[in-house]
Structures are given as structure tokens and as C-alpha cells.
Amino acid sequence: MTEQEKMAAGLWYDANFDPELLAARTKAEELCAAFNAAAPGDAERRGALLRALIPDLGEGVTILSPFYTDYGSNCRIGAGSFLNHGVYLMDGAPITLGRNCFLGPSCGLYTANHPLNAVQRAQGLERALPITLGDDVWLGGNVVILPGVTIGSGSVIGAGSVVTHDIPPGVVAAGNPCRVLRPITEADRVQP
């Protein structure tokens, strides 16, 4: 079994020294660098770079630079989603964003985990678990999502939260560790 196959299966794999994975990350890093260097007004170039980086990119997605991802090929971003400056998608495992998701500045979605044992960690071992955001999820600025987490549709995660466990749909959650504060109700509807 290759290291990439182990990674895809959610097993421990060599993330640091495997030539195939290193080449894939280098390609993604080059595409990220080109996207981040492209003029904000050059929508055609920026769009082409994003489509090369993230093949499963929905219509009408807006990603502001700088933007970073390890592979890009493990990201699925739903139509109408918005990723603010400094978002990092560490996609050793699939990261799926539903439709119309809003990610605030400097959010980090981290699928990777490393051994607690220092010797094994130095060997480059890593294990990645998927992260899923349902439709219409809003992450405030500087939110961190840890491996294996699912956030239900319509939920809002407060700025600076560290999400360590699944969050159900339709709630406001915040904190470190993130916890559900209350459901979102009709009382939350603004009156413009």
C-alpha cells in the first residue's frame, strides 16, 4: 500500500519523506503562491489557478488571498462559499464545505494529527481524518477545526473557537473547546 493510499484510508502514513506526497504538496504550494501573487482584479487568472488547485470548486466561490492548502485535490468547496484572507485548508483527508459557507479571516481546518511519541513524530508519521461543513455554515475569524469534525448546516461558530467535536445543525457554538451555546431561532432574524 502506498503512503497516499494509507493517507486516503485514514491510516498512519509517512507525510514528511514520501516522494509522491512531497511532489503533490510542492505542486499545491506553487499554485497557492501563484494565486496569492496574482492581482486581485485578475479574476480570469485567479479563477484558473483555483480550478487547477481545487478541481471540485463550486460556482461563484470567492477565495481571498492569501490562501493555503496542502494538496487542494482533497478539498470540495460548495457553490457560493466565501473564504476570507488567510484561510488554510490542511487537506490530508477530505475537507468538504457545503454551499454558501462563510469562513472568516485566518481560519484553519486541520485534518492531520501526529503521534504524541516524539520519536514517531520525527519519523514523519501523520494520520488525517476528514472535516465536513454543511451548507450555510459561518466560521468567525481565527476558528480552528480539528481532525474528524463535522459541523451541521446553518451553524455559526464564534471567532477564536477551537472545534474539537461535532457540532449539530442550526446552533451558535463558541469557545475553547467549542461548545453549543444555543439554537438559532426566528428571534435571530435581522430587520433591515
Side-chain angles (χ1 to χ4, degrees), residues 118-162:
V119 172
Q120 291 179 309
R121 196 167 50 248
Q123 293 169 346
L125 289 178
E126 182 175 290
R127 181 175 175 218
L129 299 173
I131 293 174
T132 303
L133 276 58
D135 294 339
D136 303 303
V137 169
W138 174 20
L139 305 181
N142 293 298
V143 167
V144 171
I145 310 292
L146 295 183
V149 167
T150 295
I151 298 176
S153 293
S155 285
V156 175
I157 308 299
S161 296
V162 178

Side-chain angles (χ1 to χ4, degrees), residues 47-186:
L49 289 165
L50 279 179
R51 285 187 298 280
L53 179 63
I54 303 170
D56 201 348
L57 187 68
E59 290 296 317
V61 170
T62 299
I63 299 178
L64 302 181
S65 52
F67 168 74
Y68 306 97
T69 184
D70 283 358
Y71 299 97
S73 59
N74 288 329
C75 296
R76 287 146 193 83
I77 302 178
S81 291
F82 175 84
L83 285 64
N84 213 320
H85 300 285
V87 168
Y88 175 31
L89 304 179
M90 181 189 283
D91 64 328
I95 294 178
T96 303
L97 308 183
R99 298 174 60 87
N100 303 312
C101 288
F102 283 24
L103 278 63
S106 302
C107 285
L109 283 65
Y110 306 132
T111 64
N113 197 359
H114 304 280
L116 297 178
N117 178 281
V119 172
Q120 291 179 309
R121 196 167 50 248
Q123 293 169 346
L125 289 178
E126 182 175 290
R127 181 175 175 218
L129 299 173
I131 293 174
T132 303
L133 276 58
D135 294 339
D136 303 303
V137 169
W138 174 20
L139 305 181
N142 293 298
V143 167
V144 171
I145 310 292
L146 295 183
V149 167
T150 295
I151 298 176
S153 293
S155 285
V156 175
I157 308 299
S161 296
V162 178
V163 186
T164 60
H165 298 288
D166 291 354
I167 301 293
V171 299
V172 175
N176 182 5
C178 188
R179 66 188 189 291
V180 173
L181 301 178
R182 64 178 180 82
I184 296 171
T185 68
E186 280 299 309

Side-chain angles (χ1 to χ4, degrees), residues 9-69:
L11 303 173
W12 290 101
Y13 63 95
D14 175 2
N16 290 1
F17 306 108
D18 179 69
E20 182 181 12
L21 293 179
L22 289 172
R25 284 201 309 274
T26 297
K27 179 182 175 188
E29 189 173 3
E30 288 170 352
L31 287 167
C32 284
F35 171 78
N36 293 332
D42 192 350
E44 186 175 329
R45 176 163 170 68
R46 290 170 64 85
L49 289 165
L50 279 179
R51 285 187 298 280
L53 179 63
I54 303 170
D56 201 348
L57 187 68
E59 290 296 317
V61 170
T62 299
I63 299 178
L64 302 181
S65 52
F67 168 74
Y68 306 97
T69 184

